[in-house]
Amino acid sequence: MKRLTPSWSWASLPFLLIVWILIASRFPSYVLPQPWEVWREALRWMADGSLWPQLRASLLEEFAGFLLAVVLALALGVGAGLSDRFRDFISPLNSLFMAIPPIAWAPLMLLIFGLGYLSIIVVIVIAALFPMCVTIQEGIRSIRGGEVRAARTLGANMRQLLLHVYLPSSLPFITAALRIGFSQAWRALVAAEMLGASQGIGWMVAMGGQIGNSSQVLLGICLIGLIAWLMENLVFRRIEQRYQSWRVC
């Protein structure tokens, strides 16, 4: 019988809290507050109802931009995986846009679209689209030719090949692309909100820094990490575990 190895993942967050408490004890609270002071700040934001509009604004922008990026990435990634000519055309664009930090686009988008949801959503799409496109493309290309030939022998057309061969076989890559794309989109969202937004979690962090409220800054940072952690563990990791047996070796 295979011996089970205990997981120490449960200890990481308590360890982080202990390190935080020890480091914060060496600084004044207005520089680096203790975790309980940040918790009191969170209770104050919740009590006056000002926390929920920030969360709602960030999540609305995140999912709007992310879902649009998913649709575009599926179209471009599948097309690049199936067509050598299209892959040759889009590969330089993928390399170019992936090399430019998404936050570099934020000032330009603010000038074009002004303050508001649209400029931030465009930054999110740019951040998430190209990493997902490359991952989906590689998933389509990894499908063995024998599977496609067998389906064609049975009379499958291109639409049936996409629905019953290419997409199911590349699901592990698609779920990995979603995971990567969401994390890229989340980082871009927070950075864009810090530069040019009137609400949102990134705005909370930026405003806290401007007024010297370090508890507000750390509250925003904790919310950013918490939401990313929840998406990773409750959504993407579970989806990837489901298709683990399909992953190409």
Side-chain angles (χ1 to χ4, degrees), residues 172-221:
F173 289 89
I174 294 175
T175 54
L178 295 176
R179 179 180 176 181
I180 295 168
F182 184 87
S183 64
Q184 293 293 326
W186 189 238
R187 295 188 188 102
L189 163 73
V190 173
E193 285 183 339
M194 293 179 69
L195 283 182
S198 58
Q199 59 181 344
I201 300 175
W203 173 84
M204 281 179 60
V205 174
M207 288 301 298
Q210 292 179 18
I211 64 178
N213 187 345
S214 55
S215 293
Q216 179 176 321
V217 172
L218 278 172
L219 173 59
I221 292 173

Side-chain angles (χ1 to χ4, degrees), residues 1-247:
M1 181 181 292
K2 185 178 178 180
R3 184 178 180 182
L4 295 177
T5 303
S7 173
W8 286 90
S9 59
W10 61 269
S12 57
L13 290 180
F15 173 77
L16 180 60
L17 282 174
I18 292 172
V19 172
W20 179 358
I21 292 170
L22 292 175
I23 295 176
S25 65
R26 304 179 64 88
F27 293 90
S29 61
Y30 62 83
V31 174
L32 183 60
Q34 292 284 359
W36 49 87
E37 294 173 311
V38 176
W39 175 246
R40 284 199 297 267
E41 181 73 10
L43 292 177
R44 184 181 69 81
W45 277 74
M46 287 188 286
D48 62 15
S50 56
L51 181 60
W52 312 120
Q54 317 311 323
L55 288 173
R56 184 171 59 249
S58 290
L59 292 176
L60 178 62
E61 293 164 344
E62 170 71 7
F63 284 106
F66 177 62
L67 291 176
L68 178 57
V70 168
V71 173
L72 295 174
L74 281 171
L76 296 177
V78 171
L82 294 176
S83 170
D84 291 339
R85 290 183 179 180
F86 185 62
R87 183 169 63 253
D88 291 341
F89 170 78
I90 201 173
S91 291
L93 298 178
N94 284 332
S95 300
L96 174 65
F97 280 91
M98 289 175 63
I100 300 173
I103 192 57
W105 296 100
L108 179 61
M109 296 302 108
L110 290 171
L111 290 174
I112 296 174
F113 300 110
L115 293 175
Y117 288 113
L118 185 56
S119 58
I120 295 177
I121 288 174
V122 172
V123 173
I124 291 171
V125 171
I126 294 174
L129 171 59
F130 298 97
M132 288 196 294
C133 178
V134 171
T135 306
I136 294 171
Q137 167 191 308
E138 293 306 313
I140 296 294
R141 293 187 63 196
S142 69
I143 297 172
R144 297 175 182 176
E147 300 171 355
V148 179
R149 286 193 296 270
R152 284 176 174 167
T153 301
L154 296 173
N157 55 33
M158 179 54 68
R159 185 183 66 84
Q160 292 170 327
L161 285 173
L162 283 174
L163 292 178
H164 301 291
V165 178
Y166 285 110
L167 291 180
S169 298
S170 60
L171 274 174
F173 289 89
I174 294 175
T175 54
L178 295 176
R179 179 180 176 181
I180 295 168
F182 184 87
S183 64
Q184 293 293 326
W186 189 238
R187 295 188 188 102
L189 163 73
V190 173
E193 285 183 339
M194 293 179 69
L195 283 182
S198 58
Q199 59 181 344
I201 300 175
W203 173 84
M204 281 179 60
V205 174
M207 288 301 298
Q210 292 179 18
I211 64 178
N213 187 345
S214 55
S215 293
Q216 179 176 321
V217 172
L218 278 172
L219 173 59
I221 292 173
C222 290
L223 289 173
I224 292 166
L226 176 63
I227 293 172
W229 182 84
L230 289 173
M231 288 297 299
E232 169 68 20
N233 288 275
L234 299 181
V235 180
F236 299 122
R237 186 169 294 180
R238 292 187 178 186
I239 294 175
E240 286 194 339
Q241 288 173 352
R242 180 175 179 180
Y243 300 112
Q244 190 69 33
S245 61
W246 295 19
R247 193 176 297 277

